[in-house]
Amino acid sequence: MPLFGLKFGKKKLKEEQRHLQANNRDFNLEFEYANNSIKTSKYNFFTFLPLNLFEQFQRIANAYFLFLLILQLIPQVSSLSWFTTVVPLVLVLTMSGVKDAIDDFNRHKSDNHVNNRPVQVLINGRLKDDKWMNIQVGDIIKLENNNFVTADLLLLSSSEPHSLTYIETAELDGETNLKVKQALTVTAELGEDLQKLTDFNGEIKCEAPNNKLDKFTGTLTLHGEKFALDNEKMLLRGCTIRNTEWCFGLVIYAGPDTKLMQNCGKTTFKRTSIDRLMNVLVLVIFAFLALMCFILAIGNGIWEYDKGYYFQVYLPWAVGVDSAPYSGFLMFWSYVIILNTVVPISLYVSVEIIRLGNSFYIDWDRKMYYPLNDTPAQARTTTLNEELGQIKYIFSDKTGTLTQNIMAFNKCSINGKSYGDVYDMAGQRTEITEHTEKVDFSYNQLADPKFVFYDHSLVEAVKLDDAATHRFFRLLSLCHTVMPEEKEEGNLVYQAQSPDEGALVTAARNFGFVFRARTPETITVVEMGETKVYELLAILDFNNVRKRMSVIVRSPEGDLTLYCKGADTIVYELLDSSCGPLQEETMEHLNEFAGEGLRTLVVAYKNLQEDYFEEWDKRHHEASTALDGREEKLSELYEVIEKDLMLLGATAIEDKLQDGVPQTIETLTKAHIKIWVLTGDKQETAVNIGYSCNMLHDDMKDVFIIEGNSSEDVLDELRTARKKMNPDSFLDSDEINIKFINPSTKSRILPEEQANGVYGLVINGHSLAYALEGNLELELVRTASMCKVAICCRVTPLQKAQVVELVKKYKKAVTLAIGDGANDVSMIKAAHIGVGISGQEGMQAVLSSDFSFAQFRYLQRLLLVHGRWSYIRMCKFLRYFFYKNFAFTLVHFWYGFFSGFSAQTVYDQWFITLYNLVYTSLPVLGMSLFDQDVDDRWSLQFPHLYEPGQQNLYFNKIEFVKCVLHGIYSSLILFFIPYGAMYDTVRSDGKAIADYQSFALMAQTCLLIVVSVQIGLDTAYWTAVNQFFIWGSLSVYFAIIFTMYSDGMYLIFAAFFPFIGAARNTLNQPSVWLAIFLSIILCVLPVVGGRFLKAQLLPTVSDKVLRKIREAKKRPPPPLPKTRLRRTSTRRSGYAFSHQHGFGALIMSGRNMRPKLPFTTTGTFSPNSEKNRHK
C-alpha cells in the first residue's frame, strides 16, 4: 500500500514474459501488471516539502548557508546577527520551491488530462464508459473513428471488411500517411457482438514490455488452437483511429508498459554548465575561505599568547576562554562568519532574478510570435537561459519540425515543355508571391478548393485537348494506390498511403481528370466531365528496390495500356530508344526542378497487345501463387513488361518546408552549430529534405550512406568514411587512439577532429542499432562529428535519445533537441535543452520541453539573440559579482593583521548588511538584464559572435582566477590607501581624524565608488535604467550614511548607530577625497590599460566582429538581397517513399473495400452495367 505516495516493500521482479487472459481481471491481477494511469509529476501533497528541501540542499551553497546559520546561533562564535543569513536563505528556498511547485502542478494537470480521457470498456456483457486510468491488462475496449488508442491493444475486430483498421502514427514515428492493421480471422468473426466478445477467453503469451515500436511477438491460444501474433495486429498507444467506424481491442500493455511510454525516457533535473562550474568554484572558495580563516586563527593564537594576555585589562577574554589556542579556535569560526561574503547568498537570488528576467524577454518577443495560430514563444523553464548561448549540436526531428508535412504539386514537364513558372509580359520569369494570380478552377465542380497553381498555360493546354497533356493527367489519375472517400456527392477525400501520391492525384483532379472511385477490378475517372470506367488488370507494386509502380488498365474503348511512374534514374533505363530527344529536354527540366529542392518523378506509358498481355498474365498468375521465391519471380515478370516505355514527362512535388528553414539552417551552420536530423521517416524522404534545407548539397565531397545489416558491415562502412575524411585518424600517434588504447585515462571526452573537406552522413535505423552497441558507438561519434551534417532515418524514439546521450558522453558540447511530436519526447528530455514546436502532432513535445514556439525559424533568434545575450549577461554578472565580493571581503583579511586578529569588522555593520542587498544589487542587475554588446540585427548578421559561448570563453576557471586576482589587488588598494591616508592625519582645523570610524567610512566609500566605476566599464549598452541604478545607488549610500551617522539617530538608537558624526567630520576633508580619487585611479587604470592592449594586440573573434560592426554602423546598411536559396543537384526521386509495400496487392484483393451503393454523376452509373463491361 503506498504511504504518502511512496511505495515500500519488495522490489518487483523483472518481467520475462507476459501472460494474460481476456476478460479475466482476477487472473491478470495475480501478475501485478501496471494499470493504464501515467505519472510524469515528481511530488504529491505530502512529499513536496521534504523532497524539495532535500533537492535544494543538494546545492552546496544552500547547505553552506545552513551551516553558517547554525554557527551564528552560537554566542561565543557569532560576530554577526543570525537574521542576516536566515532571511535571505528562506527567501531563496521559498522562491525555488514555489517555482518547482508550479512546474509540478502543470505536470499533474497534464497527467490528469490524459488519465481522465473517456473510453468504452466491456464489463459483464455491457459497454461501460470509464476513464483511461482505470483500464487494466486483459480488458476489451471499443474505439471509434478519430479516437486516440488508449493502450497497446491486440486488434480483435473492426467495422471494415476483413477487420482492417486504418491508423495514423504521427505521434510515434512522425508519419501522417495511413497504415493498415488487420485482425486474426478467428477474432474478426467476433464483430461487434457484445455477447461473443464477453465470452472470448483467449489466452495471450507474449514478450515483456519493451521499446521496439516495429516488433511484437506472441501467441493467442483459443479453444486449444494456437495463433501467431505479430506487429501487424497491434494498435499502439499514441496512434489515432482513422476511416474506421469502430474496432475492438484487447489490452496487452497498459500505462508505463506501453511502447510509447517505454520510449519516453526519464525526466532528469537539468542544470547548466555554469551551474555545475559554480558548484566547483564554491568548493574552491570554501577552501580559500578556510585557508584565510586558518591563517587569521593562527595569527590570533600567536597574538593572544604574545601580547593579548597582557591586554586583558582592556580587552578581556570572552567567558570560557582560558587560553590563546582556544581563542584562536573560536576566532576561526568568527572569521568564517565575517568572511562568508565571498559567497553571499544574494548571488543565488540575483542569478534566479536574472534568469527570470531573460525568460520574460523570450515570452515577450514579438518576433517569435506566430500570429496564424496565436502562439507566442514560451520559456517553460527559467534555469537554462544562458545555456542557449552555448549550443554546439542541434538534434532535429523532420516531419512537422523542418517541414509542414504538406506535399504540393509545384511544377511538371509534359512532352518537353515545362509548366509551373510564371512569366511577365516581356517573357521574363517572375517570382511567385501572394499577389500572383492563381489559376481559376471554378469550371471544374469536382476540383479541390485548396489546390493552388499559378501557370495558366497548363490549363489552356488541357482545355485545348492536347493529347500528351491529357495522357499525362490520365496516368496520374490511374497509376496509384489512393483510396477515395465520398461521403457527400462531389466532396471527395483521398486517403493516400504516401503524401506524394495524394498530391499527384489531387493535381490530376483539378486539371479535369478526377479519380472518383475504385473496386478491386475497376477505376472510375471523370475525364473533362465525362465518367469513364477503366478495368484494372494488374498493379505492379512499389518496393524500395524497384522504386517505381505501374498499373495495367483497359480503357472503355478497349485499349490496353501500362502506366508507370517512378524514380527518374530507374525509369530512364526502361525507355524506348525513340524517346532520345525528349529524354534530353526532360532531363534539363529534371535538373532544374531538383535544383530548386523539388521531389522529382518520371512518368511513362506503353500500349500493350492483347495476346502479349494474356500470355504475360498467365505467367503473372503462376508467379503470384508460387510458394517459393514469389517476390523474385514477380520482380522478373515486372521487368519483362516494363520496358520500351514511352516517356510522357516528369512531375515536381514540393515537400513544403516551414518558412525560413533553409535560411535558419544556413545561419546556424555559420555559427559553427552542427545539425543532426533524427527522423522516423524513410531514408530517401529524409535525404530529400536534407537537400531542400541546404544541409546537404552537391558541393560536398561526399555523402556517406551507412546501411549495413550486421555489426561488421556497419563498422567497415564507418571506418571507410572516417578514413576518407581524415586518414591520419588511423595512425598510432593519433591523440584519440592513444587515449582509448590506454585504459588509465579517465576522461572519455573526444577532442575535435577536422575532416579534409565538407561531408554528410546518412544512417538508417537498423544500422544505427548496431552502431549504438559497445565499441561501435565510439566509431559512430568520431565519424559523424567530422561531418557537417548527420541524418539518422527510421529511428525509434528511444534511439533518438540514445544518439543525444552518445554525443553528451563523448563530446564536451551543449546539445539541443527540437521536435513537435510524442516521438520526440525522449530526445527532448535527454538533451541539455529541449525545444518543443507547437505543431500538428499534439502537445506532448511542448509539455516536455524547456522552451517552445510555433516555427523552426525562431530557433536562430532563440539561440543567436536571446541565448547569446543571456550567456554574456550571466558571465558578466558572475565576473563582476565575484570581483566586488572579493574586493569587499578581503579588506577584512588585511585589517586582521592590524587589529590583533580580533574578528573586528572593517566596515560599519549596517554597511555590511546593505552592501549586497542595496548598494550594489541594482546596478549589477541592471547590467545583467539590459546589457548587449550588439543589437539583435547584428547578432543574426554575424553568427560568428556565437562562437565564444560554445567555447565557454567568457566565464571559466581561468576567468574566475582573474576575478580573484583582480579582487585581491583591489582589496589591497582599498585597505592600504585609506590606511596610509588616515595614519596620523589631522583635519584642516587641527583636530584628529585618525580614528577607526573615520577609517571605516573612508574604506567603504572608496570600495563603493570603485565597484560602481567598474560596473560602468563593464556595461556595453547604456539605458536610462542603468544610469538610474548606478547614480541612484551612490545617492542612496550617501543619504543613508549621513542619516545613520547623524546625532538624531544616535540619540534614538545609541546601541545600533555608534558612528555619530563620522560622515560630516570625514567627508568634508579634501585630503579624504584625494585619497578616494587615488584609490579609484589605481584600481581602474590596470583594467582599462589591459583591455585596450588585449583588443589591439590579441583580438578575439568577437573583437574582430565588433570592429566590423562599428565600421558598418558608420555607413548606411545595404539593402538585403532578395535572392532565393538555390542549389544545383543531381536528380532525386521523391516518389512514394512512405508507400507501404504490398498495398497494391491488398487493393487488387478487394479486402480493404466494402460494397457501396452506386453514385450518380451525369445519369445513372454502375461499374457492372453492360456498357462498361468488357469481354
Side-chain angles (χ1 to χ4, degrees):
M1 181 78 183
L3 178 65
F4 302 140
L6 297 173
K7 290 185 179 179
F8 300 95
K10 64 178 183 180
K11 188 177 178 183
K12 187 180 174 184
L13 294 173
K14 186 180 179 184
E15 194 175 338
E16 298 291 338
Q17 185 189 54
R18 178 147 294 200
H19 184 196
L20 63 107
Q21 210 172 69
N23 292 313
N24 192 343
R25 281 193 173 185
D26 294 335
F27 175 83
N28 299 326
L29 283 171
E30 292 176 17
F31 298 96
E32 297 183 4
Y33 295 135
N35 65 14
N36 204 41
S37 67
I38 60 164
K39 179 175 177 285
T40 59
S41 55
K42 290 165 66 177
Y43 316 108
N44 62 30
F45 181 79
F46 297 103
T47 60
F48 173 74
L49 197 60
L51 284 180
N52 190 257
L53 286 175
F54 175 73
E55 283 181 1
Q56 292 207 54
F57 281 114
Q58 285 183 318
R59 182 182 271 179
I60 294 169
N62 286 344
Y64 166 64
F65 292 124
L66 183 64
F67 172 68
L68 272 184
L69 176 61
I70 294 167
L71 278 183
Q72 286 177 307
L73 296 173
I74 303 170
Q76 291 89 341
V77 173
S78 179
S79 47
L80 288 172
S81 301
W82 61 270
F83 59 79
T84 57
T85 299
V86 76
V87 173
L89 179 61
V90 169
L91 184 67
V92 169
L93 295 176
T94 303
M95 282 178 62
S96 299
V98 168
K99 184 172 69 63
D100 291 341
I102 291 169
D103 288 347
D104 206 58
F105 177 71
N106 289 332
R107 283 192 285 267
H108 272 287
K109 277 177 66 178
S110 169
D111 289 348
N112 288 336
H113 174 71
V114 173
N115 288 334
N116 289 308
R117 282 177 177 166
V119 65
Q120 296 180 72
V121 59
L122 185 65
I123 294 178
N124 299 326
R126 296 176 61 188
L127 284 174
K128 175 188 168 189
D129 288 333
D130 209 336
K131 296 175 180 177
W132 274 29
M133 62 182 176
N134 297 329
I135 298 303
Q136 296 182 16
V137 170
D139 287 352
I140 292 178
I141 62 174
K142 181 182 181 181
L143 297 174
E144 295 177 343
N145 195 28
N146 297 326
N147 280 175
F148 291 109
V149 177
T150 310
D152 288 357
L153 310 175
L154 170 67
L155 178 62
L156 297 178
S157 61
S158 84
S159 57
E160 301 305 294
H162 304 279
S163 279
L164 295 174
T165 299
Y166 298 93
I167 58 168
E168 187 180 276
T169 59
E171 288 193 2
L172 289 176
D173 55 19
E175 293 183 6
T176 53
N177 53 293
L178 297 187
K179 294 183 174 63
V180 183
K181 301 290 184 177
Q182 185 173 13
L184 285 167
T185 309
V186 68
T187 62
E189 294 167 358
L190 301 172
E192 57 179 334
D193 187 324
L194 296 185
Q195 190 55 50
K196 284 184 180 178
L197 287 162
T198 305
D199 295 338
F200 176 70
N201 62 350
E203 204 165 297
I204 307 285
K205 287 186 179 178
C206 62
E207 60 194 18
N210 60 68
N211 54 47
K212 294 174 182 174
L213 292 172
D214 56 346
K215 288 183 181 176
F216 175 80
T217 54
T219 58
L220 165 67
T221 305
L222 186 65
H223 307 313
E225 281 189 70
K226 275 191 177 182
F227 302 91
L229 302 178
D230 57 26
N231 203 47
E232 296 306 307
K233 298 167 183 63
M234 292 294 290
L235 305 178
L236 301 185
R237 181 176 180 141
C239 300
T240 308
I241 305 295
R242 299 287 189 213
N243 299 343
T244 307
E245 286 181 28
W246 53 262
C247 67
F248 284 88
L250 172 66
V251 178
I252 306 293
Y253 305 119
D257 291 342
T258 59
K259 291 182 183 284
L260 176 67
M261 296 305 293
Q262 292 275 313
N263 273 286
C264 272
K266 293 180 181 177
T267 302
T268 54
F269 180 61
K270 294 184 179 181
R271 306 189 74 163
T272 66
S273 54
I274 284 182
D275 264 340
R276 292 189 291 273
L277 176 61
M278 276 171 61
N279 265 350
V280 174
L281 296 182
V282 165
L283 289 173
V284 172
I285 291 169
F286 289 164
F288 185 61
L289 173 64
L291 178 64
M292 287 194 297
C293 294
F294 181 72
I295 292 169
L296 293 168
I298 295 292
N300 177 264
I302 294 170
W303 191 88
E304 290 289 2
Y305 180 80
D306 190 40
K307 294 186 178 179
Y309 182 82
Y310 305 104
F311 271 73
Q312 288 196 54
V313 176
Y314 306 102
L315 289 172
W317 284 351
V319 177
V321 178
D322 53 8
S323 66
Y326 187 56
S327 173
F329 173 75
L330 292 178
M331 282 303 154
F332 176 86
W333 300 109
S334 295
Y335 270 114
V336 166
I337 294 170
I338 287 176
L339 301 179
N340 82 80
T341 46
V342 282
V343 189
I345 198 164
S346 58
L347 168 68
Y348 290 93
V349 178
S350 301
V351 164
E352 292 299 325
I353 292 171
I354 292 163
R355 285 173 171 166
L356 187 65
N358 285 315
S359 297
F360 280 133
Y361 291 149
I362 294 170
D363 295 345
W364 295 337
D365 192 343
R366 290 188 177 183
K367 292 180 181 175
M368 292 171 69
Y369 169 73
Y370 191 57
L372 290 184
N373 56 7
D374 188 29
T375 308
Q378 188 180 8
R380 295 175 52 81
T381 180
T382 58
T383 57
L384 302 171
N385 300 31
E386 66 271 12
E387 197 109 297
L388 290 170
Q390 300 178 274
I391 303 298
K392 202 158 189 180
Y393 285 85
I394 291 175
F395 300 92
S396 175
D397 177 40
K398 181 193 77 70
T399 309
T401 302
L402 300 176
T403 66
Q404 298 179 36
N405 210 23
I406 297 171
M407 299 289 180
F409 181 82
N410 197 298
K411 294 182 180 182
C412 62
S413 170
I414 304 173
N415 200 27
K417 184 176 180 183
S418 176
Y419 296 96
D421 288 315
V422 178
Y423 297 87
D424 59 17
M425 299 298 288
Q428 297 294 315
R429 188 189 300 185
T430 60
E431 191 80 21
I432 293 174
T433 67
E434 57 186 17
H435 303 296
T436 307
E437 186 186 356
K438 299 173 186 174
V439 171
D440 181 12
F441 292 107
S442 59
Y443 68 90
N444 180 357
Q445 293 181 352
L446 294 173
D448 184 346
K450 296 176 186 173
F451 182 81
V452 175
F453 203 73
Y454 296 95
D455 187 354
H456 294 260
S457 61
L458 184 54
V459 180
E460 296 304 316
V462 172
K463 288 181 177 177
L464 292 171
D465 294 335
D466 178 68
T469 307
H470 277 217
R471 187 177 281 119
F472 178 87
F473 285 115
R474 186 176 297 118
L475 183 150
L476 295 187
S477 67
L478 292 169
C479 185
H480 56 77
T481 56
V482 173
M483 299 295 295
E485 191 175 359
E486 189 171 8
K487 291 185 177 176
E488 297 174 14
E489 189 175 333
N491 183 16
L492 273 170
V493 178
Y494 292 145
Q495 300 297 342
Q497 271 277 301
S498 151
D500 301 67
E501 282 207 316
L504 294 174
V505 176
T506 300
R509 167 184 175 179
N510 277 60
F511 283 102
F513 288 75
V514 185
F515 166 55
R516 191 73 183 266
R518 72 154 77 240
T519 70
E521 300 86 21
T522 64
I523 297 176
T524 304
V525 180
V526 180
E527 295 185 4
M528 304 303 289
E530 182 184 350
T531 299
K532 291 189 176 183
V533 179
Y534 290 82
E535 188 179 349
L536 178 60
L537 301 171
I539 294 179
L540 283 56
D541 209 357
F542 164 89
N543 66 34
N544 281 327
V545 178
R546 284 167 42 75
K547 293 189 178 179
R548 64 188 184 274
M549 78 162 286
S550 302
V551 295
I552 300 173
V553 296
R554 183 182 278 115
S555 70
E557 294 76 31
D559 299 324
L560 272 175
T561 312
L562 179 145
Y563 291 110
C564 177
K565 67 179 182 185
D568 37 40
T569 50
I570 301 291
V571 176
Y572 260 47
E573 300 296 321
L574 308 175
L575 294 177
D576 190 79
S577 56
S578 62
C579 298
L582 181 57
Q583 274 183 255
E584 291 180 15
E585 290 176 347
T586 307
M587 189 181 291
E588 286 180 20
H589 296 154
L590 283 167
N591 285 333
E592 186 182 331
F593 298 157
E596 294 176 23
L598 304 176
R599 294 154 65 97
T600 56
L601 164 79
V602 167
V603 296
Y605 74 100
K606 178 183 180 181
N607 290 320
L608 301 174
Q609 299 298 320
E610 191 75 39
D611 52 352
Y612 173 78
F613 172 72
E614 283 181 8
E615 183 191 343
W616 180 89
D617 194 33
K618 285 178 186 175
R619 293 167 62 194
H620 177 256
H621 178 71
E622 290 171 5
S624 61
T625 54
L627 294 176
D628 298 321
R630 182 185 300 173
E631 293 294 328
E632 293 78 9
K633 289 175 181 177
L634 284 172
S635 186
E636 287 173 15
L637 268 177
Y638 294 166
E639 296 282 347
V640 168
I641 202 165
E642 287 175 327
K643 62 183 182 182
D644 300 328
L645 303 179
M646 301 303 293
L647 180 62
L648 264 177
T651 63
I653 292 174
E654 182 183 4
D655 186 356
K656 281 187 174 292
L657 297 173
Q658 288 194 10
D659 294 340
V661 165
Q663 294 86 345
T664 299
I665 287 172
E666 187 180 34
T667 304
L668 293 173
T669 306
K670 285 178 182 174
H672 293 281
I673 296 173
K674 291 189 176 180
I675 300 174
W676 292 19
V677 176
L678 311 177
T679 177
D681 267 0
K682 291 193 177 178
Q683 182 177 307
E684 294 87 343
T685 314
V687 170
N688 271 320
I689 294 300
Y691 278 103
S692 302
C693 295
N694 288 330
M695 285 189 286
L696 299 175
H697 50 81
D698 289 334
D699 295 336
M700 285 181 162
K701 266 195 166 183
D702 202 352
V703 176
F704 303 111
I705 308 291
I706 311 297
E707 50 189 356
N709 288 310
S710 67
S711 298
E712 294 75 20
D713 292 345
V714 173
L715 183 62
D716 287 344
E717 290 174 351
L718 288 170
R719 284 187 170 168
T720 303
R722 178 157 67 89
K723 194 166 188 177
K724 184 169 183 179
M725 289 189 286
N726 185 356
D728 294 344
S729 66
F730 284 87
L731 299 175
D732 292 338
S733 58
D734 180 73
E735 181 184 353
I736 297 175
N737 294 336
I738 294 169
K739 188 173 189 174
F740 282 88
I741 288 170
N742 181 5
S744 62
T745 53
K746 291 182 180 178
S747 173
R748 302 181 67 83
I749 301 300
L750 297 177
E752 289 298 321
E753 295 181 274
Q754 297 300 320
N756 56 20
V758 179
Y759 294 91
L761 180 81
V762 178
I763 182 167
N764 60 33
H766 62 264
S767 301
L768 184 63
Y770 293 116
L772 290 170
E773 293 174 357
N775 62 332
L776 264 71
E777 65 175 21
L778 178 64
E779 196 64 50
L780 172 65
V781 80
R782 286 187 73 176
T783 305
S785 297
M786 276 194 267
C787 297
K788 181 186 173 188
V789 65
I791 297 175
C792 304
C793 325
R794 277 294 180 213
V795 291
T796 65
L798 193 68
Q799 280 180 325
K800 291 184 179 187
Q802 288 173 331
V803 171
V804 176
E805 293 288 1
L806 183 67
V807 173
K808 286 169 68 178
K809 179 179 176 181
Y810 286 107
K811 288 289 180 180
K812 191 178 181 180
V814 181
T815 59
L816 179 146
I818 179 169
D820 71 322
N823 58 322
D824 304 314
V825 167
S826 55
M827 170 176 77
I828 285 170
K829 287 180 178 178
H832 292 103
I833 301 280
V835 177
I837 288 187
S838 335
Q840 301 173 11
E841 296 183 22
M843 291 294 287
Q844 282 85 347
V846 170
L847 292 171
S848 303
S849 67
D850 305 305
F851 300 89
S852 68
F853 41 70
Q855 294 278 291
F856 181 85
R857 68 176 185 270
Y858 298 147
L859 184 61
Q860 63 177 331
R861 187 167 179 84
L862 183 72
L863 301 188
L864 303 188
V865 179
H866 291 288
R868 203 177 71 84
W869 282 350
S870 294
Y871 173 71
I872 290 172
R873 288 165 182 167
M874 185 59 73
C875 292
K876 277 191 173 185
F877 165 78
L878 292 172
R879 290 202 307 261
Y880 175 77
F881 208 95
F882 282 123
Y883 158 72
K884 80 179 178 69
N885 281 291
F886 270 97
F888 166 70
T889 306
L890 289 175
V891 174
H892 288 298
F893 181 76
W894 311 124
Y895 182 60
F897 290 90
F898 294 84
S899 63
F901 306 97
S902 58
Q904 185 183 9
T905 57
V906 177
Y907 317 113
D908 169 25
Q909 280 215 13
W910 285 104
F911 180 79
I912 293 172
T913 305
L914 298 175
Y915 177 71
N916 280 310
L917 199 62
V918 176
Y919 300 146
T920 60
S921 60
L922 290 179
V924 72
L925 282 177
M927 178 187 73
S928 306
L929 290 173
F930 301 109
D931 203 50
Q932 45 184 267
D933 52 350
V934 294
D935 64 21
D936 54 345
R937 183 169 65 94
W938 296 111
S939 294
L940 294 169
Q941 199 165 327
F942 290 94
H944 290 298
L945 285 169
Y946 192 77
E947 287 179 48
Q950 294 172 322
Q951 298 164 21
N952 202 18
L953 297 181
Y954 290 151
F955 189 74
N956 48 46
K957 290 172 185 173
I958 294 171
E959 288 298 318
F960 173 71
V961 171
K962 288 180 185 176
C963 294
V964 173
L965 293 175
H966 186 196
I968 291 171
Y969 168 76
S970 294
S971 69
L972 285 165
I973 299 294
L974 293 168
F975 175 75
F976 285 103
I977 294 293
Y979 180 81
M982 284 290 176
Y983 192 76
D984 285 343
T985 303
V986 294
R987 285 161 46 91
S988 53
D989 57 7
K991 293 179 181 177
I993 195 176
D995 61 86
Y996 162 71
Q997 293 187 348
S998 299
F999 164 70
L1001 178 66
M1002 185 178 174
Q1004 67 194 37
T1005 305
C1006 284
L1007 169 71
L1008 195 61
I1009 295 175
V1010 164
V1011 297
S1012 297
V1013 172
Q1014 182 64 43
I1015 198 145
L1017 291 173
D1018 288 347
T1019 301
Y1021 182 71
W1022 285 92
T1023 65
V1025 177
N1026 293 79
Q1027 297 273 8
F1028 176 74
F1029 282 170
I1030 292 173
W1031 295 111
S1033 294
L1034 286 171
S1035 304
V1036 166
Y1037 166 71
F1038 286 110
I1040 286 175
I1041 62 168
F1042 276 105
T1043 304
M1044 284 186 174
Y1045 302 169
S1046 65
D1047 298 351
M1049 294 298 286
Y1050 177 75
L1051 291 172
I1052 301 169
F1053 305 106
F1056 292 101
F1057 302 104
F1059 278 47
I1060 180 172
R1064 63 175 182 268
N1065 289 335
T1066 307
L1067 295 180
N1068 61 1
Q1069 298 302 303
S1071 60
V1072 171
W1073 285 104
L1074 188 63
I1076 291 172
F1077 181 70
L1078 179 62
S1079 300
I1080 295 167
I1081 294 298
L1082 287 174
C1083 285
V1084 169
L1085 198 59
V1087 177
V1088 175
R1091 288 183 183 179
F1092 174 77
L1093 291 173
K1094 184 171 177 289
Q1096 296 300 316
L1097 303 176
L1098 296 167
T1100 61
V1101 173
S1102 295
D1103 292 330
K1104 293 173 184 175
V1105 173
L1106 289 169
R1107 196 174 297 156
K1108 281 184 186 176
I1109 291 172
R1110 282 194 292 271
E1111 291 169 5
K1113 283 180 178 177
K1114 294 174 185 175
R1115 53 182 185 268
L1120 291 172
K1122 292 186 178 179
T1123 55
R1124 290 169 66 187
L1125 279 162
R1126 296 174 68 90
R1127 60 180 183 80
T1128 56
S1129 170
T1130 52
R1131 299 184 311 283
R1132 292 164 295 98
S1133 168
Y1135 164 59
F1137 289 125
S1138 297
H1139 187 112
Q1140 189 173 328
H1141 173 55
F1143 198 65
L1146 189 66
I1147 288 172
M1148 292 294 290
S1149 72
R1151 287 183 299 160
N1152 63 333
M1153 299 176 196
R1154 61 173 66 187
K1156 295 190 178 179
L1157 292 172
F1159 59 87
T1160 56
T1161 48
T1162 50
T1164 306
F1165 165 77
S1166 169
N1168 299 315
S1169 63
E1170 282 299 318
K1171 68 174 183 176
N1172 291 314
R1173 192 176 294 148
H1174 297 278
K1175 296 177 181 178

